[in-house]
Amino acid sequence: MTNNLSKKMNGFPADFLWGGATAANQVEGGYDAGGKGLTTADMVPFVPKAQRGLNFAIDVNSDYIERALKGEVEDRYPKRDGVDFYNRYEEDIELFAEMGFKAFRLSINWARIFPNGDDAVPNLEGLEFYDRVFAALNKHGIEPIVTLSHYETPLALSRKHNGWYSRELIPLFVKYAETVFNRYRHQVKYWITFNEINMMGHSPYTGGGVLIDRIPGRTKEQIAYQALHHQFVASALVTKLAHEIDPSAQVGCMLARTQTYPVTNNPDDVFLAQHYNDLNLFHTDVHVHGEYPSYMNRYFAENDIEIQKEIGDDEILKQYPVDYVSLSYYMSKSVAKNPENYEAVSGNLVTYAVKNQYLDTSDWGWQIDPKGLRITLRDMYNRYRKPLFVVENGLGAYDKVEEDGSIHDTYRIDYLKKHIEQMKEAVLDGVDLMGYTAWGPIDLISMSTSEMSKRYGFVYVDQDDEGNGTLNRSKKDSFDWYKRVIATNGEDL
Ligand code: BGP
């Protein structure tokens, strides 16, 4: 009988799910094709870099939406066209298969299935599009990892109910989930309910189609925690449903994990870092432990946050926790009791942070911290004792196309190599890690800035920030590198 402790793991498990991750609103395009309705993402205009502040959050307001719908604004909406995955999915999936993907994370666009969010019957053309995508993945033996909501709230639900601020969205979301669970139960085993559910606190419009200008007298935070509660209940209800429809289904939650450090060992800074880590991990605490953690009671009281719950909500949260915990990890952040003494930085969902003198930054100022990934995986695994899944990690960067068409993205290989090394260390530290789907395996539209020039892909797409280009795909140096990583199960980095 082998002693498990002595069974030396040389790295990733044999069934590790290597792949890439996308979001419908950032790759598909076809914003009005096949009967699809508008989503909140379709109303986010391109904002030139010079006009963005340090803590840029794409928040349109209700007045802008109504004017835009009347054609009274002259903006461009890059997410409406994406990179035309809607028509080119077969070619793209073949490229993913060529890299040896075991898994591919995508989101189903809710408004393809229910164009108005509350349609009596689902839109067959929308369902048939994902039939074709799943068939293409299946042909290549690639496991779909499907996000139900990745910043794609049907615009009609935002205009009618003010998005997830209304409890009305819970039954509508359950009906949408039931429709896709039933249709794709034989194609999809891994589901994720809400992408980066903590986006709600950063941008209620992006996270849940909530327009805070329609709720005078309440702070963004008060509004966000109420809308979040509705998403927590909806997530638990669809977890229950998934297990009823397919007992082998695995349902995960998803957090934009921002590992937070104190800028010094001054206990004031250390305490502040603990506070920010709690505010971030609060979301996965609710999804996994099925209850609001006690440390939030004081925070809610001190910030005048009162969440309206209904009878039965607490029981639903408790009874239907997630099966696994997925996360995005791009960077870490540092906080200081006296931030005025330090240089301010920003990043993915980071609106308040100070520079970490030990870390390099990306072209967009995100603090690159591979060791932070090992730290956070150990921390989260010990906190939850559930399998973890890194479903987003990657480097947004400017890429240069050489005369001969080659793209030497050594900086991207370096970033990914270092993060994969740290993931392997975490696995050797005992973390149960299901897989790794690098963000943006193909260049796509940036979530936060709607830029095309912020490239993440192993596959280059010929399109610029203004939407000009042939949309032709080509391989960067990182394409063959990642192919080797997967072929050697993370050994040849
Ligand atoms: C996360 C989103 C992804 C992706 C990523 C990179 O917040 O889940 O949709 O976009 O961030 O961010 P960006 O595209 O702004 O560089």
Side-chain angles (χ1 to χ4, degrees):
M1 197 268 277
T2 55
N3 170 342
N4 282 337
L5 288 178
S6 67
K7 187 174 72 177
K8 187 180 176 329
M9 282 187 67
N10 63 4
F12 297 100
D15 59 355
F16 195 71
L17 291 169
W18 293 100
T22 61
N25 78 89
Q26 294 173 253
V27 277
E28 285 183 359
Y31 81 101
D32 59 355
K36 174 182 165 292
L38 286 173
T39 65
T40 48
D42 294 324
M43 304 309 293
V44 175
F46 176 76
V47 174
K49 192 158 193 148
Q51 292 170 29
R52 285 181 235 127
L54 177 67
N55 299 321
F56 178 71
I58 347 94
D59 260 348
V60 293
N61 59 39
S62 41
D63 171 59
Y64 174 84
I65 288 175
E66 297 314 313
R67 284 189 298 112
L69 289 174
K70 289 183 201 132
E72 292 170 6
V73 296
E74 295 291 316
D75 284 321
R76 223 166 44 75
Y77 304 93
K79 291 176 181 175
R80 293 186 179 187
D81 300 319
V83 291
D84 197 29
F85 180 82
Y86 185 72
N87 294 305
R88 298 165 188 252
Y89 64 91
E90 281 178 304
E91 171 193 359
D92 293 344
I93 290 169
E94 273 164 24
L95 285 165
F96 302 152
E98 196 182 329
M99 281 189 274
F101 277 23
K102 312 288 187 207
F104 174 60
R105 180 180 175 227
L106 68 155
S107 65
I108 292 178
N109 196 318
W110 185 353
R112 278 203 195 286
I113 314 303
F114 289 95
N116 300 293
D118 58 5
D119 313 72
V121 295
N123 169 37
L124 186 56
E125 279 191 87
L127 290 169
E128 288 171 340
F129 168 65
Y130 294 104
D131 287 339
R132 297 195 298 274
V133 171
F134 294 138
L137 289 170
N138 186 48
K139 186 173 99 181
H140 294 289
I142 299 175
E143 196 73 58
I145 314 291
V146 180
T147 312
L148 290 171
S149 181
H150 194 135
Y151 307 150
E152 295 135 1
T153 307
L155 183 66
L157 297 183
S158 177
R159 299 178 74 207
K160 190 171 180 181
H161 297 297
N162 203 8
W164 280 96
Y165 188 64
S166 163
R167 211 177 157 92
E168 289 299 318
L169 263 73
I170 296 177
L172 292 171
F173 186 74
V174 170
K175 181 177 176 188
Y176 155 56
E178 183 176 26
T179 304
V180 297
F181 288 158
N182 278 318
R183 188 167 183 106
Y184 306 123
R185 61 189 294 248
H186 298 299
Q187 287 82 17
V188 182
K189 198 168 97 180
Y190 299 100
W191 297 94
I192 292 171
T193 55
F194 292 94
N195 178 71
E196 296 191 332
I197 195 165
N198 53 312
M199 168 62 82
M200 185 70 79
H202 181 69
S203 169
Y205 176 75
T206 302
V210 182
L211 293 155
I212 57 177
D213 62 280
R214 290 177 52 183
I215 311 156
R218 303 209 78 189
T219 65
K220 171 172 152 181
E221 214 179 14
Q222 288 169 332
I223 294 165
Y225 278 106
Q226 183 64 58
L228 255 180
H229 178 68
H230 298 149
Q231 289 191 337
F232 285 138
V233 172
S235 180
L237 287 172
V238 302
T239 299
K240 167 178 179 281
L241 197 57
H243 293 152
E244 288 166 352
I245 292 170
D246 173 9
S248 70
Q250 296 288 300
V251 182
C253 58
M254 200 282 202
L255 178 76
R257 178 65 181 122
T258 315
Q259 179 68 39
T260 303
Y261 303 136
V263 72
T264 71
N265 54 12
N266 176 330
D268 285 341
D269 289 335
V270 176
F271 175 72
L272 196 62
Q274 181 186 56
H275 170 63
Y276 276 99
N277 277 312
D278 278 343
L279 286 183
N280 185 242
L281 293 167
F282 152 72
H283 303 84
T284 30
D285 283 355
V286 176
H287 275 299
V288 173
H289 299 315
E291 61 189 25
Y292 280 70
S294 58
Y295 62 77
M296 287 303 279
N297 297 335
R298 178 171 184 172
Y299 184 78
F300 288 151
E302 290 174 350
N303 291 279
D304 194 20
I305 295 163
E306 205 175 305
I307 296 166
Q308 301 302 318
K309 294 183 183 178
E310 284 195 7
I311 305 290
D313 284 358
D314 288 336
E315 289 70 23
I316 289 167
L317 294 180
K318 196 69 181 168
Q319 270 182 291
Y320 309 108
V322 292
D323 302 311
Y324 67 94
V325 176
S326 74
L327 64 146
S328 63
Y329 179 91
Y330 291 94
M331 54 176 282
S332 63
K333 81 174 192 185
S334 298
V335 291
K337 185 164 173 17
N338 303 307
E340 65 280 1
N341 300 342
Y342 302 90
E343 179 190 341
V345 295
S346 71
N348 193 37
L349 277 70
V350 171
T351 53
Y352 155 84
V354 297
K355 185 159 181 55
N356 181 328
Q357 60 177 314
Y358 302 101
L359 300 180
D360 294 331
T361 59
S362 76
D363 293 340
W364 271 260
W366 295 14
Q367 306 237 296
I368 298 170
D369 180 9
K371 178 68 78 66
L373 179 52
R374 178 182 181 186
I375 293 167
T376 218
L377 287 173
R378 289 165 56 108
D379 183 40
M380 289 179 81
Y381 187 62
N382 294 332
R383 189 171 179 127
Y384 299 124
R385 284 273 180 267
K386 293 243 180 186
L388 303 182
F389 201 148
V390 178
V391 295
E392 287 183 29
N393 172 248
L395 179 70
Y398 292 109
D399 287 341
K400 179 176 181 290
V401 183
E402 306 297 339
E403 284 300 304
D404 65 358
S406 61
I407 297 155
H408 306 307
D409 57 339
T410 51
Y411 38 88
R412 180 168 295 111
I413 292 171
D414 182 59
Y415 176 98
L416 294 169
K417 169 181 178 323
K418 286 177 175 155
H419 284 80
I420 293 171
E421 282 168 348
Q422 293 302 321
M423 271 194 315
K424 190 189 299 186
E425 291 302 325
V427 169
L428 294 173
D429 294 339
V431 171
D432 178 355
L433 192 60
M434 296 165 64
Y436 173 78
T437 50
W439 174 255
I442 182 170
D443 291 346
L444 40 67
I445 304 298
S446 163
M447 181 282 295
S448 56
T449 66
S450 289
E451 288 169 305
M452 189 68 212
S453 51
K454 186 175 188 185
R455 298 175 186 278
Y456 283 89
F458 303 109
V459 176
Y460 183 86
V461 174
D462 174 29
Q463 176 172 255
D464 64 17
D465 284 344
E466 280 66 46
N468 307 310
T470 63
L471 286 171
N472 289 347
R473 277 73 164 135
S474 55
K475 299 172 185 176
K476 305 178 191 177
D477 288 358
S478 55
F479 183 99
D480 287 332
W481 169 81
Y482 195 49
K483 182 175 178 179
R484 277 196 313 279
V485 170
I486 296 174
T488 60
N489 197 26
E491 289 308 303
D492 178 359
L493 294 175

